[in-house]
Amino acid sequence: MVVVLTLHGPFSRIQQDNAALRAVVADRPNVRLADWDAALAGTSGQLQPDGIHPSLTGSHLYAKTVRSAFAELSEARTGTKVVLTDLPMP
């Protein structure tokens, strides 16, 4: 099982690169996309001032995004429902 993350940052190629990642993942049943870029949409305070790296709260969103993708992949591969509980913030 493989999870691929989308990219996020102040680079002109992000949309194009993320489209390529989505295309690569689309036909692979053992791969899921953790859409980090979409997870950040409409949020604030999730990134360091560089606009790339997660802040402390952003690291929890990042982990939640990856964790959800693995849960979705596990459900698809095993047929068993995965129940994720919220993890506490530090």
Side-chain angles (χ1 to χ4, degrees):
M1 296 191 295
V2 176
V3 167
V4 174
L5 279 109
T6 57
L7 307 169
H8 183 85
F11 308 107
S12 61
R13 67 179 191 274
I14 291 292
Q15 299 244 353
Q16 189 176 20
D17 290 349
N18 283 342
L21 290 171
R22 286 181 181 89
V24 167
V25 169
D27 296 328
R28 291 177 170 78
N30 67 318
V31 182
R32 284 297 182 274
L33 189 74
D35 201 340
W36 174 233
D37 191 50
L40 289 167
T43 66
S44 64
Q46 302 295 320
L47 298 174
Q48 296 288 338
D50 66 4
I52 299 170
H53 298 93
S55 64
L56 180 58
T57 58
S59 66
H60 286 265
L61 177 60
Y62 185 91
K64 182 179 179 179
T65 303
V66 173
R67 190 174 175 230
S68 295
F70 271 114
E72 180 185 316
L73 182 56
S74 179
E75 286 179 9
R77 301 298 291 161
T78 67
T80 303
K81 177 79 174 144
V82 174
V83 178
L84 298 175
T85 57
D86 286 336
L87 298 175
M89 291 291 288

